[in-house]
Amino acid sequence: MQHTFLRALLAGVLTAATTQVQALPSKPVAIEDLARLPALQSVTLSPDGKRLVGLIPSPKNPDETALATWDTDSLSSGPKVVTPSGDHMKFIAAVALKAGKILAVGRQEWTGELGGCGEGKVTGATRTFMTKPYLTGNDQKTFDEAFASDTHKLGISQRTQRCLELGGTASLVNMLPLDPDRVIIRQLSEISLTSSYYLYNLKTREMELLFRGGTRATPSLFDSRTGKVLAKTEIVPISGDYEQHVLLLNAKTGQFELQAPLTTKLSDRHSVNVAGIDDTTGKYYILTDQFSDKIQARLYDSSRHAYDTEPAVADKDYSIGGLLFSTRRSNFNQVVGFVVDGPHQQTVYVDPTLKAIQAAFRKAFPSQQVAISDYTDDFSTVLFTTQGPGTPIAYHLLRNGKVANLGSQRPWLGKGLNLDERWVTYTARDGREIPAILDLPIGWKQGDAPAPAIVLPHGGPWARDYTGWDVSGWVPLLVSRGYAVLRPQYRGSEGLGRSLWLAGDKQWGLKMSDDLDDGAAWLVSQHFAAKDRIAIFGYSYGGFAAIAADVRAPSPFQCAIAGAPVANLGRLGTSWSDNRLQRILQGRTVKGMDPMQNTAKAHLPIMLFGGDRDVRVPPFHPRDFYKAVKGTVPAQYHVIADMPHSMPWYPRQQRETLKLIADYLANDCGPGGL
């Protein structure tokens, strides 16, 4: 029976899928095509397989979003219900829930005094955003603040009310797949501003307390059948440091027991995450790098207080990014796959049916990254996505053996761009191996003259890049205009091994920047780039790296572009985060060369830009650096109206910033441009 189903599945997928033959563009990708609101995004499938929920451009204004639902049995009829964003609150995400409910997330501009609530000024008005989750039904007739308590908030100060409004009061934690009506939510206390966790009935709004949070205690694993807390994490101060304690529930005694082998110092930054429990043995799955530079999945016996001697899942080159547990009744909670955190997040299925489905999708969409998003209990309906370096994310629905191509985020790009993207490694000056993503100019081939190039460091710096479609639009913008783009995963990057991550501590503008300079030298040595035609462009921490390049000598770069850049390490160290533990963990690693103390050494033309609603990297950073160097080097500074630090950005902001980048490189990056 299963083989018959899979043969029909494969036939349906191959028939419906369109062979994606990419063609070279005759001209650079238009900025408008990269800046437009996605035609389709944030698509999810309801657990019963009957509905799709997603965001589309509003029929009232193509630069704003609308919440849309489709019946999966009548997709050709288009969305059944469409609700445009309001005059103030704009939809930025959506999730199809059970019990006929939809979770929609909205965002709006907000200006006022924070008084210490969240990121922003302690005194005076801050220009920022307010984000809220809403619950609505399939008919989208009413929108209520999601998971809000019905208790009247008596005695709550105006400041606390402001904190709740800005920080959001609740969020979804666990869908509890076997329960028809209830989910697990996290709710912020109106009094203590600490988080507690509840079972929440989507139909009746009744709430049942599962875990009362404190300032240092959080649940780390719930039983996906009942919602019971199985593991919790506590942060304990120890002699000027902190320890992370993991406590696991003893099923016999009903008590939580401290597990010494899982205890780590926060300053050591080991990963110890409780990912799940094996129903057969009662052992816990732990994702940890206690045994290897890369994260492995290990089974842990809480009764013996001991790990198994061998990992349950490991990869020799990359970390294990997660385990996938079945949501189907027949094999609920069994591990059906795992994620390898490689050049892209690759899911490896061990469940035979999911493995076969994934293989069929990959055969139908060769050279694409295929990801299964949602599926029904009987696999009759499966939502999946495809994407590639030159092909934007597209959504597809397998329904009763037939595949419907729901649409691409950017269908106006046609069959995509013929991007040559490679995962490469080069050696830094001290011998450390630095992984990187190399995107070659469209149409460029080995033996052609070296191209102009951009070194593009990511933000964070505790982050990393992945191969595939670049949602910022920066990479397709640049490669379609003849630039090679190198994205170094410099020391300090997270997710590619603990050694590389820790090597960035206190190296801002020092070895972290050496890695970028060495990446430029590697481009030249491999004949990808011309020595005198290389620029550096980065955003957030990447913007810091661009500013640092301007005051470091010698430099391999012809000019620098810094988006939302950190410029003043001294001021950053005192405002790193509103979270005390985060300041301790990451704030103390933010040391090195301070560009604002070295502005007299500026020697590269530079263009800076940032949003006036950016509370993560406030406007004083780029503004002060611009004022300090504008008399020494050709410098520009552009303020982007209403732009926050992180995506999603409005189309008008994308149009403005992409044009600034393209024009600056072509006309102002040194004599004659880049």
Side-chain angles (χ1 to χ4, degrees):
M1 183 70 178
Q2 185 185 63
H3 295 301
T4 302
F5 165 75
L6 292 176
R7 282 197 296 270
L9 161 68
L10 180 57
V13 172
L14 292 175
T15 300
T18 301
T19 302
Q20 305 210 2
V21 179
Q22 297 173 332
L24 296 177
S26 58
K27 56 184 180 180
V29 180
I31 286 174
E32 175 62 25
D33 288 345
L34 296 171
R36 287 172 64 180
L37 204 65
L40 185 64
Q41 60 177 316
S42 193
V43 180
T44 59
L45 175 71
S46 63
D48 60 11
K50 295 181 179 180
R51 294 174 309 283
L52 288 169
V53 172
L55 300 182
I56 61 174
S58 170
K60 295 182 177 180
N61 182 347
D63 277 1
E64 293 184 355
T65 54
L67 177 66
T69 59
W70 295 260
D71 286 345
T72 53
D73 284 331
S74 56
L75 292 173
S76 60
S77 301
K80 185 176 181 180
V81 185
V82 175
T83 302
S85 289
D87 292 336
H88 301 290
M89 191 68 72
K90 314 297 182 184
F91 294 120
I92 60 173
V95 180
L97 301 179
K98 55 196 174 185
K101 298 295 184 181
I102 298 169
L103 179 66
V105 181
R107 187 183 71 178
Q108 72 179 65
E109 292 95 344
W110 185 90
T111 302
E113 293 188 6
L114 294 175
C117 294
E119 292 179 293
K121 299 177 183 177
V122 175
T123 59
T126 293
R127 294 171 61 82
T128 183
F129 280 83
M130 180 186 299
T131 302
K132 279 188 177 182
Y134 294 91
L135 273 179
T136 186
N138 292 328
D139 56 9
Q140 300 183 34
K141 288 184 177 179
T142 60
F143 287 78
D144 300 314
E145 185 174 348
F147 317 128
S149 172
D150 291 332
T151 304
H152 186 57
K153 299 179 177 65
L154 295 174
I156 305 302
S157 70
Q158 185 177 3
R159 177 183 180 278
T160 300
Q161 290 281 18
R162 186 190 306 119
C163 286
L164 295 172
E165 288 288 305
L166 291 172
T169 56
S171 58
L172 180 67
V173 175
N174 190 307
M175 281 280 281
L176 294 180
L178 300 182
D179 191 308
D181 301 324
R182 297 186 301 176
V183 295
I184 299 176
I185 66 164
R186 166 188 173 271
Q187 190 173 82
L188 190 66
S189 166
E190 293 90 347
I191 302 297
S192 65
L193 296 183
T194 59
S195 293
S196 294
Y197 296 77
Y198 297 86
L199 282 174
Y200 183 90
N201 191 302
L202 292 167
K203 289 184 176 179
T204 66
R205 299 187 181 184
E206 293 176 345
M207 297 170 61
E208 177 185 333
L209 181 66
L210 294 173
F211 186 92
R212 190 174 302 283
T215 56
R216 293 174 182 160
T218 56
S220 48
L221 181 67
F222 293 94
D223 186 328
S224 292
R225 291 182 175 88
T226 65
K228 179 187 295 186
V229 178
L230 300 178
K232 64 179 181 179
T233 300
E234 294 180 349
I235 305 300
V236 179
I238 301 290
S239 303
D241 201 340
Y242 288 85
E243 282 186 348
Q244 175 179 283
H245 292 178
V246 177
L247 297 91
L248 302 178
L249 182 67
N250 185 317
K252 295 180 179 179
T253 65
Q255 301 297 312
F256 283 96
E257 297 179 351
L258 177 65
Q259 304 291 325
L262 306 184
T263 297
T264 58
K265 286 186 177 180
L266 289 190
S267 58
D268 290 338
R269 299 215 306 275
H270 276 293
S271 294
V272 180
N273 297 309
V274 185
I277 189 169
D278 180 68
D279 289 340
T280 303
T281 64
K283 295 180 181 179
Y284 288 84
Y285 288 101
I286 310 293
L287 295 175
T288 184
D289 58 6
Q290 291 173 292
F291 302 89
S292 170
D293 182 58
K294 308 298 192 295
I295 293 174
Q296 303 173 335
R298 294 241 171 187
L299 280 167
Y300 180 83
D301 190 329
S302 60
S303 61
R304 296 191 302 111
H305 291 235
Y307 280 105
D308 282 6
T309 55
E310 296 295 329
V313 181
D315 186 272
K316 65 183 181 66
D317 297 316
Y318 302 107
S319 289
I320 301 303
L323 299 177
L324 304 179
F325 295 88
S326 175
T327 58
R328 302 172 64 226
R329 290 184 180 275
S330 60
N331 62 344
F332 189 80
N333 201 46
Q334 291 183 19
V335 173
V336 294
F338 56 92
V339 178
V340 178
D341 213 8
H344 70 275
Q345 291 183 310
Q346 180 180 357
T347 298
V348 179
Y349 286 106
V350 296
D351 176 83
T353 304
L354 283 167
K355 186 175 182 178
I357 292 173
Q358 183 189 57
F361 292 161
R362 286 178 173 171
K363 188 171 183 178
F365 296 90
S367 304
Q368 296 282 296
Q369 298 175 16
V370 176
I372 297 174
S373 303
D374 300 306
Y375 54 87
T376 55
D377 196 82
D378 61 358
F379 294 122
S380 62
T381 307
V382 181
L383 177 68
F384 66 101
T385 61
T386 57
Q387 65 162 306
T391 308
I393 297 169
Y395 300 91
H396 314 269
L397 187 72
L398 170 69
R399 179 76 168 162
N400 298 323
K402 297 181 180 180
V403 167
N405 296 317
L406 303 175
S408 165
Q409 290 189 350
R410 302 190 177 277
W412 44 83
L413 290 182
K415 294 180 180 179
L417 312 173
N418 189 24
L419 262 65
D420 183 351
E421 184 169 83
R422 309 175 184 182
W423 183 262
V424 300
T425 302
Y426 62 88
T427 304
R429 65 192 65 182
D430 64 354
R432 180 174 288 277
E433 294 297 306
I434 305 297
I437 300 172
L438 172 65
D439 289 274
L440 294 171
I442 292 179
W444 190 94
K445 59 185 182 299
Q446 206 72 39
D448 287 352
I454 314 296
V455 172
L456 179 56
H458 61 73
W462 288 7
R464 57 156 297 184
D465 292 311
Y466 291 96
T467 59
W469 178 253
D470 173 27
V471 294
S472 72
W474 297 332
V475 172
L477 174 85
L478 296 169
V479 295
S480 72
R481 284 160 174 74
Y483 302 106
V485 179
L486 184 72
R487 288 176 279 174
Q489 308 308 294
Y490 50 84
R491 67 194 73 200
S493 299
E494 192 177 17
L496 290 163
R498 186 165 171 270
S499 175
L500 183 70
W501 183 27
L502 296 179
D505 289 2
K506 303 180 182 180
Q507 293 298 318
W508 286 50
L510 302 174
K511 290 183 179 181
M512 294 167 78
S513 289
D514 289 347
D515 292 345
L516 308 180
D517 293 357
D518 295 341
W522 177 83
L523 285 172
V524 174
S525 72
Q526 301 300 304
H527 308 291
F528 293 126
K531 183 177 181 180
D532 58 349
R533 301 185 68 195
I534 306 177
I536 183 171
F537 159 46
Y539 189 88
S540 193
Y541 171 84
F544 165 86
I547 283 180
D550 203 347
V551 299
R552 282 169 49 100
S555 173
F557 305 113
Q558 184 174 325
C559 70
I561 300 176
V566 172
N568 191 321
L569 290 192
R571 292 186 69 175
L572 179 68
T574 60
S575 60
W576 177 255
S577 169
D578 59 346
N579 183 290
R580 182 168 181 262
L581 290 176
Q582 183 71 8
R583 290 198 301 271
I584 293 171
L585 273 176
Q586 191 166 11
R588 64 186 178 188
T589 72
V590 184
K591 299 188 186 323
M593 188 274 294
D594 191 337
M596 281 305 297
Q597 301 300 316
N598 291 276
T599 54
K601 299 177 183 178
H603 63 287
L604 299 178
I606 187 168
M607 189 262 283
L608 306 102
F609 68 88
D612 63 2
R613 290 188 183 274
D614 189 340
V615 294
R616 182 67 49 83
V617 181
F620 73 78
H621 281 280
R623 181 191 64 227
D624 291 356
F625 188 82
Y626 164 72
K627 289 180 177 179
V629 304
K630 66 179 182 178
T632 305
V633 297
Q636 301 178 21
Y637 173 44
H638 303 273
V639 179
I640 313 301
D642 293 325
M643 184 173 172
H645 187 77
S646 301
M647 297 183 77
W649 298 314
Y650 296 135
R652 60 181 168 83
Q653 296 161 344
Q654 284 280 68
R655 286 191 285 267
E656 184 176 358
T657 55
L658 291 174
K659 189 175 188 304
L660 284 172
I661 294 164
D663 289 352
Y664 184 79
L665 291 172
N667 304 315
D668 300 306
C669 182
L674 190 61

